[in-house]
Amino acid sequence: EAQVTQNPRYLITVTGKKLTVTCSQNMNHEYMSWYRQDPGLGLRQIYYSMNVEVTDKGDVPEGYKVSRKEKRNFPLILESPSPNQTSLYFCASSLSFGQGGTYNSPLHFGNGTRLTVT
Amino acid sequence: GDSVTQMEGPVTLSEEAFLTINCTYTATGYPSLFWYVQYPGEGLQLLLKATKADDKGSNKGFEATYRKETTSFHLEKGSVQVSDSAVYFCALSDKDQGAQKLVFGQGTRLTINP
């Protein structure tokens, strides 16, 4: 089954304790992205990647890191989490989003990771 | 920058009622427009899309028409069902900006009562 898999689904941690949220897709997609969802704000992009070893900042990258060493994986790293990073996080992938200047390819989303930082 | 504004929720309707969720956008280029739906505990799924003016996207009884003159992409359904209860997001992608992302509205929570 074609899917985007995020782990864990729920995570409670304390301020300053490094954590990683994993994201994996099995559709051979070029494009991957991380979003956070907050009430009243919709989804905001954190980072995206057009291909292996190519990553770029989105709208709210502060406090986050990503890597794209393999095509299928795009982990989100919080080196020193803070309470304002408490949110619902989504990973998404797309076959050709942004390729050749086209933006019609749909994004496929994971089921989300609810992170609480105390 | 680009932005999307949706009608405030939550919206509560009875089964078989007519649904409209308003969406307007601001973009400097010529965006593609999307509606995504999020069912409880799940990620977002593409519901429909339109890529140029006057295009109508449709899926599962939902429709939305790309109106460039009013910069709108309102979502409609003639007769809603309980199973349509979800959060709906309007979004755009603007290739002229070279932006490698979707810009989302804040979401509208829809509840359908039997």
Side-chain angles (χ1 to χ4, degrees):
Chain A
E1 180 188 351
Q3 58 186 3
V4 177
T5 303
Q6 293 179 230
N7 280 298
R9 288 295 305 272
Y10 301 91
L11 180 57
I12 301 173
T13 190
V14 296
T15 299
K17 186 176 182 182
K18 179 179 179 179
L19 65 91
T20 299
V21 183
T22 63
C23 174
S24 180
Q25 49 91 7
N26 62 359
M27 296 169 280
N28 201 37
H29 284 173
E30 303 277 343
Y31 175 92
M32 297 186 75
S33 182
W34 277 101
Y35 285 84
R36 60 178 288 173
Q37 182 181 8
D38 300 291
L41 297 177
L43 280 81
R44 294 177 293 168
Q45 190 183 53
I46 302 170
Y47 270 95
Y48 67 93
S49 170
M50 296 298 291
N51 211 328
V52 175
E53 302 292 0
V54 179
T55 63
D56 210 342
K57 296 177 180 178
D59 293 322
V60 289
E62 295 78 21
Y64 304 96
K65 287 174 58 177
V66 293
S67 68
R68 188 90 182 272
K69 293 185 172 60
E70 309 164 277
K71 198 173 193 178
R72 63 183 292 126
N73 296 323
F74 191 46
L76 180 69
I77 302 155
L78 284 72
E79 295 270 2
S80 182
S82 61
N84 64 12
Q85 293 178 298
T86 293
S87 187
L88 180 58
Y89 291 86
F90 287 101
C91 180
S93 72
S94 175
L95 180 63
S96 58
F97 190 82
Q99 302 292 342
T102 61
Y103 298 85
N104 302 328
S105 177
L107 296 188
H108 298 260
F109 283 82
N111 284 339
T113 296
R114 186 166 292 282
L115 171 64
T116 302
V117 183
T118 61
Chain B
D2 295 350
S3 65
V4 175
T5 302
Q6 294 180 230
M7 66 185 289
E8 295 260 347
V11 174
T12 302
L13 296 172
S14 297
E15 204 164 25
E16 299 184 4
F18 184 86
L19 168 71
T20 300
I21 300 178
N22 290 337
C23 171
T24 57
Y25 67 89
T26 302
T28 53
Y30 199 169
S32 294
L33 302 174
F34 307 82
W35 277 99
Y36 279 80
V37 59
Q38 183 181 29
Y39 298 105
E42 299 183 10
L44 282 71
Q45 304 171 25
L46 178 67
L47 181 60
L48 54 84
K49 70 178 185 182
T51 59
K52 60 182 187 295
D54 299 324
D55 264 4
K56 177 185 283 188
S58 61
N59 186 23
K60 299 182 181 179
F62 290 89
E63 294 182 338
T65 300
Y66 190 137
R67 299 287 188 203
K68 193 167 190 294
E69 64 276 13
T70 55
T71 61
S72 64
F73 193 54
H74 305 321
L75 182 68
E76 296 182 336
K77 186 175 185 182
S79 177
V80 293
Q81 307 300 313
V82 172
S83 58
D84 293 327
S85 298
V87 181
Y88 291 81
F89 291 91
C90 186
L92 69 80
S93 64
D94 187 351
K95 60 185 177 183
D96 286 347
Q97 288 288 301
Q100 313 296 344
K101 65 180 180 184
L102 288 180
V103 176
F104 286 89
Q106 70 269 38
T108 301
R109 183 175 297 278
L110 173 66
T111 301
I112 307 299
N113 294 321

